[in-house]
Amino acid sequence: MANSGGGLIVYGVEESQKAATGRVDAGGFDETYERTLRSAAITAISPPVFGLNVHRLEADGKRAIAVEVPASIDGPHLIYRNDYFGAPIRNDSDTAWMKERQIEAMYHTRFEERRHASEALDARFSEVSAGRDSDTRAWLIAVAHPRIPRFRDRTTRDRARYVLSKTVPLALTYASRNGDMHPLENVDLSNPRPGLRRWVAVSMAIGDHSSWKEAWMSIYHDGSVTLAAAVGGHRKSRDTYFEGWEVESSAIECTIADVMALLRTTAEATDTEVRCTPVVL
């Protein structure tokens, strides 16, 4: 199923002529069974299939188990077939074995996806880092792009505001509040501005005395997220500041916590899988 765009396996169903005809009790399904199932998807398949969703269903005393197999861009997934590898693929309700040309095509698709993903990350990074005064102070630029971009619908302002609001408490569990080090506390979370295929939480650090905590965050309609935060030249005391090249470890810790929290809440809200590349300039 991972080789065929994903699918659903249901235990606890009677069938006849490839059609479901009724329900039967699938029996007990405890944590040990679930761990065994997930282990098989990882250890018996190469490359492993991650992200299985397992649902327990019960009605009228009959138990059923539904296992969601996610779509994969890491195909072909191979299994041992006697003494050699084989690549199974679904054909209606049957399982067939891929021919050499099909396997070649799936490898080509995998390599192309990786190339496009790298290009997408590079493009986002160039976009976010443009215009930053990285020649005078250090910035941390973090860019995350979904492995499978989200194209279903456009993210609304309310949705972006919700994601940003959920990110704050999560980030504070990763790294405690430390002065004004958290970029999330230095952007306008309640009023994201429209940008090019994205919503932008703009910096609230205005003026010479607050520019040291400048930060910008974006949530893209395809599920990408970006963060740009000044991490050099932070305030040392009421009237003194570090040099632009001097970076406090707490600034890095808080910024990484914020971007990972933003990454997690956005992925959950948009049902996407992302890869992240933080870079310090």
Side-chain angles (χ1 to χ4, degrees), residues 18 51 63 74 81 148 151 164 169 176 182:
K18 301 182 180 181
R63 294 163 292 185
D74 290 324
R81 190 183 181 194
I148 302 178
F151 295 116
L164 290 167
S176 60
H182 279 279

Side-chain angles (χ1 to χ4, degrees), residues 52-197:
L52 295 181
N53 289 319
V54 180
H55 307 277
R56 295 171 175 81
L57 311 171
E58 183 172 356
D60 301 326
K62 294 180 179 179
R63 294 163 292 185
I65 307 299
V67 181
E68 290 183 76
V69 181
S72 174
I73 53 179
D74 290 324
H77 294 275
L78 309 176
I79 62 173
Y80 273 112
R81 190 183 181 194
N82 298 322
D83 293 330
Y84 57 91
F85 275 113
I89 190 170
R90 293 294 292 179
N91 179 23
D92 193 19
S93 59
D94 298 319
T95 298
W97 296 96
M98 288 187 189
K99 305 300 182 183
E100 186 273 340
R101 193 172 294 275
Q102 292 174 294
I103 295 176
E104 177 189 20
M106 290 200 75
Y107 274 121
H108 176 74
T109 300
R110 184 203 293 185
F111 298 148
E112 282 295 292
E113 182 276 331
R114 289 180 179 176
R115 182 175 65 84
H116 289 310
S118 296
E119 291 175 351
L121 281 173
D122 290 342
R124 287 276 188 266
F125 175 77
S126 297
E127 181 181 297
V128 177
S129 59
R132 309 298 172 201
D133 57 346
S134 54
D135 57 333
T136 59
R137 58 177 171 167
W139 284 76
L140 190 148
I141 309 292
V143 179
H145 178 71
R147 300 198 66 195
I148 302 178
R150 173 180 177 271
F151 295 116
R152 294 189 301 274
D153 50 20
R154 182 175 178 271
T155 302
T156 64
R157 186 195 299 270
D158 287 341
R159 193 62 175 171
R161 186 184 295 116
Y162 169 79
V163 170
L164 290 167
S165 67
K166 295 288 286 185
T167 299
V168 175
L170 180 59
L172 291 176
T173 66
Y174 294 157
S176 60
R177 186 173 275 109
N178 190 334
D180 293 312
M181 295 295 188
H182 279 279
L184 270 168
E185 298 186 320
N186 298 320
V187 298
D188 190 352
L189 301 175
S190 61
N191 186 34
R193 311 275 182 87
L196 182 60
R197 299 185 297 277

Side-chain angles (χ1 to χ4, degrees), residues 133 137 139 180-183 185-187 203-216 229-235 237-241:
D133 57 346
R137 58 177 171 167
W139 284 76
D180 293 312
M181 295 295 188
H182 279 279
E185 298 186 320
N186 298 320
V187 298
S203 177
M204 295 189 298
I206 54 178
D208 294 338
H209 294 293
S210 62
S211 62
W212 61 271
K213 54 184 180 180
E214 183 179 354
W216 301 78
V231 293
H234 278 192
R235 186 168 60 185
S237 64
R238 182 181 179 87
D239 298 314
T240 60
Y241 299 85

